[in-house]
């Protein structure tokens, strides 16, 4: 780890002078072929020309190596591998100055149908990655989720903060909460230099079509009726994936070790409102959707208070117009049909088997 005083793109300047500043040059991004990971890699390539990135990814159903297409080969190296593979980690991890762990099973509905891979990748995988980081005392950043905090009532005036108690609802969120606990223990017991970020719902390009926003956009593009779970009153706090990437970089380079930072852009919307906006933006009747069976244990509302990130690290979201962000996202799916068309039918078949 080296010390510098100058700020970098996406990071703050003034409030940082008392903080240790970390300047990574050779980072390992696990899960970098997924939605958030690939957007983070692309952002780092553009914003930090001095950083080399190794992407380690098992290319599960959710990973697509084409998500890295067009990135310079001398800056981004892809390694095919599973974070549960201890022998592989022994070879790949050394030489990097930071690990950013995006690798995970990420979809709640899948975790309800079959929790097994979630325990393996999210809990056991994080454990082996921590062990590999510890062997070389490598800076470790864990990508986590606001879902570890459970949910809020729709009319609750409170937000999640770093002090909110963990109360995960689904096998997915329980596995992410478990991983966070491991990361905290490796800091306290072994002194591994870690940080954790818990982010709200991301939207933007390269999101798998199993997720809410891409599923509805591609439903409309393929002549299917959009589908709302339950009443549609459930609220999610949306953030553009590029703003999440900028926040992760700020925490990695300027965050205090051992700390958790919540990432959110104060953009709470009910699922029904999001779907109606998508339909309207795509020139359809905003009421042309159907209510279907609710998700078991469905979290009612997520809402993030990002004050710590804002005051300590000076981060602010740049994508503050959600409607415009949705419009751009719709355009992306309209113009990248070859990216999602080959997997769409299989995703819908899997949903049909789950009764959704
Ligand atoms: P994703 O499903 O799109 O991508 C996950 C990636 O990890 C894929 O490329 C997959 O191949 C890879 N992967 C899975 N298991 C692996 C393993 N054992 N070894 C190596 N690679 C493996 O998921 P995402 O939406 O990009 O989420 C990434 C991370 O961000 C997850 O940890 C998730 O919990 C967290 N997160 C996501 C959101 C969101 O809105 N999508 C919000 C907050 C936090
Ligand atoms: O067809 C649908 N209809 C519907 O009403 C789908 C797929 C979802 N929904 C609802 C369920 C949720 O209330 O939309 C909301 C968003 O659903 P998902 O896209 O599955 O996201 P969510 O369950 O909120 O979790 C997401 O944010 C937190 C990510 O998938 C997680 O990886 C992240 O941790």
């Amino acid at each position: 780890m080296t010390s510098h005083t100058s700020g970098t793109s996406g990071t703050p300047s003034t409030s940082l002078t008392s903080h240790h500043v970390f300047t990574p040059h050779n980072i390992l991004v696990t899960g970098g072929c997924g939605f958030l990971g690939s957007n983070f890699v692309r952002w780092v390539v553009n914003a930090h020309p001095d950083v080399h990135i190794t992407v380690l990814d098992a290319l599960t159903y959710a990973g697509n190596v084409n998500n890295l297409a067009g990135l310079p080969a001398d800056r981004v190296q892809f390694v095919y591998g599973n974070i549960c593979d201890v022998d592989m980690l022994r070879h790949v991890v050394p030489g990097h100055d930071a690990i950013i762990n995006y690798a995970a099973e990420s979809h709640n509905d899948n975790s309800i149908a079959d929790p097994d891979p979630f325990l393996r990748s999210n809990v056991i995988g994080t454990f082996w990655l921590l062990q590999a980081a510890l062997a070389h005392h490598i800076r470790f950043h864990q990508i986590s989720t606001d879902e570890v905090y459970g949910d809020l009532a729709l009319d609750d005036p409170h937000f999640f903060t770093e002090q909110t108690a963990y109360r995960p609802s689904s096998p997915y969120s329980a596995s992410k909460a478990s991983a966070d606990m491991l990361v905290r223990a490796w800091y306290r017991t072994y002194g591994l230099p870690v940080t954790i970020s818990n982010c709200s719902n991301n939207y933007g390009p390269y999101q798998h079509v199993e997720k809410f926003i891409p599923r509805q956009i591609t439903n409309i593009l393929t002549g299917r009726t959009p589908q709302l779970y339950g009443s549609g009153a459930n609220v999610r706090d949306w953030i553009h994936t590029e703003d999440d990437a900028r926040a992760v970089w700020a925490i990695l380079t300027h965050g205090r070790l051992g700390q958790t930072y919540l990432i959110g852009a104060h953009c709470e919307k009910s699922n029904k409102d999001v779907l109606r906006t998508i339909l309207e933006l795509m020139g359809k009747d905003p009421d042309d959707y159907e209510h279907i069976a609710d998700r078991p244990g469905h979290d009612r509302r997520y809402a993030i208070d990002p004050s710590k990130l804002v005051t300590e690290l000076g981060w602010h979201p740049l994508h503050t117009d959600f409607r415009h962000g949705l419009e751009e996202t719709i355009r992306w799916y309209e113009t990248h049909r070859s990216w999602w068309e080959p997997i769409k039918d299989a995703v819908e078949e899997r949903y049909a088997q789950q009764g959704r």
Side-chain angles (χ1 to χ4, degrees):
M1 237 184 261
T2 51
S3 288
H4 285 267
T5 47
S6 63
T8 48
S9 172
T11 55
S13 48
T14 47
S15 60
L16 282 173
T17 42
S18 60
H19 287 157
H20 184 77
V21 179
F22 170 52
T23 310
H25 296 291
N26 194 14
I27 64 176
L28 178 65
V29 179
T30 63
C33 292
F35 168 45
L36 265 54
S38 64
N39 277 292
F40 175 76
V41 169
R42 187 166 295 99
W43 182 83
V44 174
V45 164
N46 290 327
H48 298 282
D50 50 339
V51 176
H52 182 274
I53 303 163
T54 306
V55 169
L56 173 65
D57 200 296
L59 298 182
T60 69
Y61 80 94
N64 184 345
V65 77
N66 290 329
N67 292 358
L68 305 175
L71 296 177
D74 59 333
R75 303 272 317 282
V76 182
Q77 183 197 357
F78 172 67
V79 176
Y80 171 72
N82 194 308
I83 57 168
C84 298
D85 182 343
V86 187
D87 291 334
M88 178 276 300
L89 290 179
R90 230 172 257 137
H91 289 104
V92 171
V93 166
H96 294 95
D97 45 23
I99 298 173
I100 301 97
N101 182 26
Y102 282 93
E105 289 292 332
S106 67
H107 194 36
N108 274 301
D109 291 322
N110 294 343
S111 82
I112 295 165
D114 179 14
D116 186 338
F118 288 76
L119 276 290
R120 289 178 201 279
S121 290
N122 301 5
V123 186
I124 306 295
T126 300
F127 160 63
W128 285 121
L129 213 47
L130 285 166
Q131 288 291 74
L134 186 59
H136 304 275
H137 200 71
I138 294 173
R139 175 79 171 80
F140 190 95
H141 182 76
Q142 175 70 357
I143 301 296
S144 189
T145 168
D146 59 357
E147 297 194 17
V148 300
Y149 300 112
D151 64 353
L152 297 161
L154 295 180
D155 59 355
D156 190 328
H158 298 101
F159 297 88
F160 295 144
T161 72
E162 288 79 6
Q163 277 71 48
T164 304
Y166 274 37
R167 199 171 55 88
S169 312
S170 71
Y172 161 69
S173 50
S175 71
K176 294 297 292 184
S178 308
D180 290 3
M181 295 302 167
L182 294 176
V183 176
R184 290 176 180 198
W186 261 242
Y187 172 73
R188 165 101 187 224
T189 300
Y190 303 115
L192 186 69
V194 309
T195 41
I196 301 174
S197 55
N198 297 74
C199 189
S200 61
N201 285 60
N202 278 229
Y203 74 97
Y206 298 100
Q207 186 168 29
H208 197 277
V209 293
E210 69 190 353
K211 303 297 193 318
F212 179 56
I213 288 178
R215 185 182 186 201
Q216 308 314 336
I217 294 171
T218 55
N219 276 350
I220 295 165
L221 290 175
T222 54
R224 294 171 166 97
T225 304
Q227 298 181 319
L228 264 186
Y229 293 172
S231 69
N234 305 59
V235 168
R236 296 296 181 263
D237 190 356
W238 294 98
I239 184 171
H240 193 280
T241 186
E242 199 176 278
D243 283 330
D244 185 5
R246 290 172 47 252
V248 168
W249 185 261
I251 297 163
L252 177 71
T253 56
H254 294 79
R256 284 183 290 143
L257 297 181
Q259 295 283 312
T260 287
Y261 293 85
L262 297 196
I263 306 174
H266 279 306
C267 182
E268 287 185 54
K269 306 274 176 209
S270 75
N271 294 338
K272 187 191 276 191
D273 282 351
V274 172
L275 180 52
R276 287 175 58 87
T277 307
I278 291 172
L279 280 158
E280 187 204 320
L281 288 170
M282 294 180 75
K284 305 288 178 194
D285 176 352
D287 291 319
D288 190 12
Y289 61 84
E290 60 183 358
H291 293 275
I292 59 165
D294 208 353
R295 173 185 282 172
H298 197 176
D299 282 338
R300 291 161 297 175
R301 169 172 161 248
Y302 306 138
I304 291 255
D305 175 357
S307 299
K308 180 175 175 181
L309 179 66
V310 170
T311 54
E312 261 190 36
L313 303 184
W315 172 91
H316 290 281
L318 298 178
H319 296 263
T320 49
D321 183 343
F322 181 64
R323 191 183 163 86
H324 178 66
L326 265 187
E327 225 169 346
E328 282 184 345
T329 305
I330 292 167
R331 249 351 57 76
W332 191 87
Y333 284 90
E334 281 173 348
T335 54
H336 289 76
R337 292 189 83 114
S338 63
W339 184 85
W340 57 265
E341 268 177 346
I343 56 173
K344 177 68 181 170
D345 287 350
V347 167
E348 291 306 318
E349 272 162 36
R350 195 165 58 195
Y351 271 122
Q353 283 161 14
Q354 295 170 11
R356 277 190 291 281

